[in-house]
Structure formats: structure tokens, C-alpha cells
Amino acid sequence: MRAAQRIAALDIGGTKIKACVFEGGTPSQKSECDTAANEGAAAVLARAAALIRTFGPFDAIGVSTAGQVDPNNGVIRYANENLPGYTGMDVKGYFEVQFQRPAAVLNDVCAAALGEGTRGAAAGVRDYICLTYGTGIGGGVVLDGQLYYGTGPSAGGMLGGLILHPEDLDPQDPFAGTYERYASATALRTAASGLDPALTNGHAIFQRLDEPEVRTVVDAWLDQVAAGAVSLIHVFNIPCVVLGGGVMEQPYAIQGAQARIEKLLIPGFRGVRVVGAALGNMAGLYGAAQQVCKTEFGVDLE
């Protein structure tokens, strides 16, 4: 198969749309705009298309997007109220019709996971898990260099749905008792704001680690982070875990998670690399570009 020369990449989020072109594996011509999701899904896709149209000709399009994506056809299986009307949108078909170029579409967390293995913290690793701690917990599993979706009815796994606290299960609340409920950045902010309503973001929380009460809250949160990560390591038996999200850019957070995970692992699993994500908000763009290179041209992003 021929190598792709220029790859357009998009990252469609609930707040911003980011775009760039990869040439020789290097991103250039970066651009972004507001998603303006309230204008509807069709307007969001048109706005994304307008961004990459300014880049000139390209060989293919990689799209990282919010929402559950059917990996077989690039259709949005489900999106929440952050992107009204997005459920059911044929994102792959839309871009292929608009530009007459092949497209690949990935969920944003899956794209970020693939990106970290392409040029980030898991570069050169064939099997790893990437976990992102934000409003919720997103995760992607990469096995033998390929994203693993499973074969069930969902459009991909939901690592944040791991049950940590069965005593809190509630049929009326699908997230009750889950990893996401206890270990997301939202969980940390909720616990910290109970101490002081001014502690509404990670930066403010970690600035006050010298206060014993604040440190106790952060340490309890890190215990939950480690418990979920260790469970996933034991299940998948992978050699590397990447921890991402803005909160994991804090040295106390990533170092605390690493130490706790190592301590909790069954002895036979010790030695697993636990690393912080390296690509920041470029991870999804790298992953989307990698995916379309592999699916359409049979090559890695280069």
C-alpha cells in the first residue's frame, strides 16, 4: 500500500474543535475553534470541515471525537447533552463525502490512548492501558498495537465503570460504586470542596498540600486511583499503564499513584511501568492520524 503524505486530523470535543495536518509524522498548520455545540450536530461537523479545508490538499482524515463511536462504521452510537443531536451522526461518511478522501473515526479517549503509543509515553510498547482522569474516567486498551474494543453491544469498553465499591451499587444510578465515581478528577474536587468551597480545581487543591486536611483528601483519592489501576493490570496483564488528564500533571499525583500501584500489585505483576501521559491535548490528534494511516494505508504515522 502507498504511504500517506499528508494527514488531516481533527479532535471534536464538547467545548473546542482542534485540527492540524501531519506531514512526515510532524503536526503543522494547527488551528482550533469553539465547538458551539448548541447550534446542533450538523453545524459542528460543518465547522470542523471548515477548519481542515484551510489546510489545502491531504490524503486522508483522522477524527477523534467525543461520544461512543462504532469502530466498524464511524457512526456515533451515543453522545450526551454536551453534543446535542450527535447520536446517530455518520461522522466518517460525512467527511468522506465532503473531501472525497478516506476517514477514520475514534472515540476521543481511544484516540488519546493510541496517540500515546504512537509518539507519547507508551511509544514502542505493543500492549498497554491508558487511563484519563477528568470529569469522568476514560480509558483505552491497546493490545498488540491495536485498540481493543471487545465484541459486545457497546461501542467500546468503559474502564471507568469498573466496580470498586459494590456496597454502594444503586439500580437508579449506573455510576454508583464505580471507579469513575471515586477516582475521577471530579471526585477529588467534590471531596476537597467539602473542606473548603474555594477548592474547586486541581491546581488550587495541590497548592494547599501542606495543609494536613487537604493532603488527607488527596491521599484518599490516590488510594482509589491505585485500586482501580491495579485491578485492570491484574486483569489485562499488560507491561505499561499511562495515566493522563490534567490532574496527573501534578508531580504529587503521578508519583503518589505510581508508589501505591507498585505496593498493591501481586508480586508476580511487579515491574509494570506506570507513566504519566506525554502528549497533552495533542494525544487525540496523533491517535486519529495513526488510525487512518493504519486502516487506509497499512502503515504507521511517519
Side-chain angles (χ1 to χ4, degrees):
M1 292 185 178
R2 68 184 180 89
Q5 300 301 311
R6 281 171 55 88
I7 302 295
L10 282 162
D11 189 349
I12 302 173
T15 303
K16 294 284 186 182
I17 302 172
K18 298 184 289 291
C20 72
V21 167
F22 285 88
E23 297 184 81
T26 301
S28 64
Q29 294 179 260
K30 298 177 186 178
S31 185
E32 70 172 51
C33 68
D34 292 337
T35 304
N38 61 302
E39 295 181 11
V44 168
L45 294 185
R47 196 169 291 110
L51 274 186
I52 60 173
R53 192 168 281 115
T54 64
F55 295 157
F58 42 78
D59 297 302
I61 308 160
V63 182
S64 162
T65 181
Q68 283 193 331
V69 179
D70 187 323
N72 298 311
N73 55 24
V75 172
I76 305 299
R77 290 277 297 274
Y78 172 77
N80 63 23
E81 64 278 3
N82 291 332
L83 284 168
Y86 208 45
T87 300
M89 293 296 289
D90 181 1
V91 176
K92 174 179 168 67
Y94 175 85
F95 286 104
E96 290 185 339
V97 168
Q98 287 287 315
F99 294 97
Q100 297 299 299
R101 293 290 184 271
V105 183
L106 293 174
N107 163 265
D108 51 5
V109 177
C110 290
L114 193 60
E116 289 292 340
T118 302
R119 293 292 174 84
V125 181
R126 300 290 294 175
D127 303 281
Y128 62 93
I129 294 173
C130 181
L131 293 162
T132 303
Y133 302 85
T135 303
I137 293 178
V141 179
V142 176
L143 301 178
D144 195 25
Q146 303 291 324
L147 281 165
Y148 175 73
Y149 294 103
T151 56
S154 176
M158 185 178 170
L159 302 186
L162 179 73
I163 301 299
L164 284 190
H165 293 273
E167 70 278 9
D168 292 336
L169 288 172
D170 179 355
Q172 304 304 314
D173 180 356
F175 290 97
T178 65
Y179 191 28
E180 180 167 302
R181 181 61 54 84
Y182 291 91
S184 63
T186 299
L188 174 61
R189 290 193 298 269
T190 299
S193 64
L195 288 176
D196 182 346
L199 295 174
T200 57
N201 61 72
H203 180 74
I205 294 167
F206 285 92
Q207 285 292 305
R208 291 172 55 180
L209 280 175
D210 57 331
E211 300 176 30
E213 298 88 351
V214 175
R215 185 180 289 257
T216 296
V217 165
V218 174
D219 285 344
W221 170 75
L222 284 169
D223 289 343
Q224 301 296 314
V225 168
V230 165
S231 297
L232 293 168
I233 291 168
H234 287 163
V235 168
F236 284 98
N237 189 26
I238 37 78
C240 179
V241 177
V242 180
L243 306 183
V247 69
M248 284 298 167
E249 295 175 4
Q250 297 286 339
Y252 189 87
I254 186 64
Q255 292 167 14
Q258 288 167 327
R260 286 167 171 80
I261 291 168
E262 179 67 17
K263 183 177 180 180
L264 290 173
L265 285 171
I266 294 171
F269 286 81
R270 290 189 182 151
V272 172
R273 288 179 57 223
V274 180
V275 294
L279 295 177
N281 63 12
M282 286 295 294
L285 293 166
Y286 272 99
Q290 166 71 359
Q291 183 73 356
V292 78
C293 282
K294 289 295 287 186
T295 58
E296 298 298 333
F297 303 104
V299 298
D300 291 320
L301 180 67
E302 55 184 33

